[in-house]
Structures are given as C-alpha cells and as structure tokens.
Amino acid sequence: VEKPRRRLRPLQFFAGRRLCLLVASSVLAVLIFLVFVGVFAALAMQGERAVSAEAAGGLLRLPLQQERIAGVGMAVHTHGLLSYPSLPLEDLRRVQDVVFKAHGTFFYYRVASVSKRMDGSVQVAAEDGTLLTLTPARLTIEPPYEPARMLPIAEVEGA
C-alpha cells in the first residue's frame, strides 16, 4: 500500500528563526537601497553650479570658467502694447505672449495668432480663445462667452 504524499506548503522551510532572518535581511536590503538612492541624490545636488547670463545672445557661462558655455537661451525682445500697431508684421509674427496689468489685475495670454488690420489696429488671438484688439487709444479684451471690456490705453501698465 502506497502512502499518500504530504503536500508541502510553499514557505514551510521558512518557519521560526529562518522566517525572522528572511524578514530582517529583506528590511536590511531595502534600507541599503534607500541609502544608495539618498547618496546619489546628494551627489547630483552637489553638482549644481551657479551660472551667469551674458547680456546679449543668451549664453550662460560658468562664473569661474568663462570659456565654458553652460547653456544657450533664446533672446527675448520686449515691446510695450502701445507699440504693437506700429510694429512691422515680421516682429508681430514672433510675439509669443502678451503680459500687462490693468486696475490691479495681472493679465497673461499665450498668443495663438496675430493679425494687423487695415485700420492700423492689431488683433491678438490667445490660445484660450480671448481676442485682444489694440488701437493707439484703447485695448479691448474679449474673453470667450463673456462680454468685451474696453480699457483706455492710459490705464494699462506695460503699454
């Protein structure tokens, strides 16, 4: 007569003292891993250096090693809102955002398109659907689904 085989439990080998050793070694391995992550993060943060920007061209250089270039940035040209109607079309095409302040409120619009009208005004369409119409006398803000607001250009800071 054949004896029935005993079914082995998967973790039967790890019982008592061996189970304690398994848990302790797993916790120790996780702690060692976290210490290595912390050391590498500290080394990465230590590698940061101050850079200085050159006035023209947008070159970033390391302060002590002026011959080494740390990065290159895009040159930015700012124009007041009042000058938009007199700007050439080439400059208006490069407009990326419009920033101004009126009545204590800060306005920032990412530009989707710019068009110059025959009457000399400039219409700026923002990415959120807002239309800005600039004339030498006033600025009209037309947010989508809201009534238009007309502001005299003298009340707009950044013009």
Side-chain angles (χ1 to χ4, degrees):
V1 175
E2 196 174 314
K3 289 184 182 178
R5 289 187 167 183
R6 271 181 59 195
R7 295 184 73 190
L8 295 176
R9 294 187 318 222
L11 296 176
Q12 180 181 6
F13 180 74
F14 297 107
R17 186 172 179 190
R18 288 186 178 148
L19 181 63
C20 288
L21 286 172
L22 175 69
V23 170
S25 61
S26 298
V27 168
L28 185 63
V30 168
L31 286 176
I32 290 172
F33 174 74
L34 290 176
V35 166
F36 276 124
V37 168
V39 167
F40 285 123
L43 288 175
M45 286 184 228
Q46 190 71 18
E48 290 183 22
R49 292 186 179 158
V51 294
S52 61
E54 222 173 78
L59 289 179
L60 298 176
R61 297 183 184 272
L62 297 174
L64 298 177
Q65 303 164 344
Q66 286 297 325
E67 69 277 354
R68 292 185 58 195
I69 296 175
V72 178
M74 184 174 58
V76 176
H77 300 283
T78 58
H79 299 283
L81 287 176
L82 192 57
S83 67
Y84 275 35
S86 63
L87 285 175
L89 198 53
E90 297 82 30
D91 289 343
L92 287 173
R93 285 187 186 137
R94 288 191 292 253
V95 173
Q96 294 179 348
D97 27 347
V98 176
V99 179
F100 60 92
K101 188 176 177 183
H103 301 293
T105 305
F106 177 79
F107 293 90
Y108 173 81
Y109 296 103
R110 290 286 296 166
V111 174
S113 67
V114 178
S115 57
K116 199 167 190 178
R117 295 181 171 175
M118 293 300 289
D119 63 354
S121 64
V122 174
Q123 185 174 31
V124 178
E127 289 180 353
D128 67 351
T130 303
L131 290 177
L132 304 171
T133 306
L134 299 154
T135 63
R138 70 176 181 268
L139 168 66
T140 306
I141 305 170
E142 299 176 52
Y145 312 112
E146 292 182 25
R149 295 181 359 190
M150 288 191 205
L151 301 172
I153 205 72
E155 294 178 8
V156 178
E157 294 177 37

